[in-house]
Amino acid sequence: GDKAFAQFLTDEIKEEKKIQKHKTLPKVSGGWELEVHGTEAKLVRKIAGEKITVTFNINNSIPPSAEEDTQEQQKPDEQEPELTSTPNFVVEVIKDDTKQTLVLDCHFPEDEIGHEGEEESDIFTIQEVSFQPTGETNWKETNYTLNTDSLDWALYDHLMDFLADRGVDNTFADELIELSTALEHQEYIKFLEDLKTFVKCQ
């Protein structure tokens, strides 16, 4: 059984490498610096008096529905549909002269992806906003967190503009999806390779 499993993995790795779009991770335009730790990625950008960081994790970032629909109708020689990784991401805005960090939790609504025609709509939404003490790794549950579901739309628009002014806009979000998808695929191939090594180990 293990031999067949290892053989299957070898073929699978070959296939995945064939369809891999990016041999190296794509860059995000606008002067963002990328740090990757396993499945977590962090983009950092400094502008006058401020530091903006965007953090996301590729785990569980591929919407589930895409997989289930295609399994049945797929003809044997058809390419599998391209999987897109749309992770939630956290934007932190740190101003040099305050002790507080503005934290915005953003996500990609599942029904929004792929509607390129509509110029007006944003491809990501802000879910929650809070202030956290700068430099603290553990966020305080006791700090007020604003949920945007019940938010005045004018205030919400200002928050979106606030992000756009700092380079977090639709273009950025598109590039983040591209980066995340490439990172996810890279990690998946690495996982298959580790699994193969593990299965072959006596």
Side-chain angles (χ1 to χ4, degrees), residues 39-109:
T39 58
E40 189 175 84
K42 185 183 201 171
L43 291 157
V44 182
R45 178 172 190 241
K46 292 188 173 78
I47 52 176
E50 290 183 8
K51 178 176 156 188
I52 297 103
T53 69
V54 178
T55 320
F56 65 91
N57 194 317
I58 56 160
N59 281 336
N60 305 317
S61 65
I62 292 179
S65 56
E67 290 254 279
E68 291 148 21
D69 305 344
T70 49
Q71 293 300 334
E72 285 91 62
Q73 303 115 8
Q74 218 180 341
K75 298 182 180 60
D77 24 308
E78 258 183 46
Q79 263 296 347
E80 280 185 27
E82 248 184 67
L83 295 179
T84 307
S85 161
T86 50
N88 295 347
F89 59 97
V90 176
V91 183
E92 294 173 60
V93 180
I94 303 159
K95 286 187 186 272
D96 290 348
D97 45 6
T98 69
K99 297 276 177 279
Q100 288 187 313
T101 298
L102 184 65
V103 178
L104 301 102
D105 266 302
C106 303
H107 82 142
F108 294 100

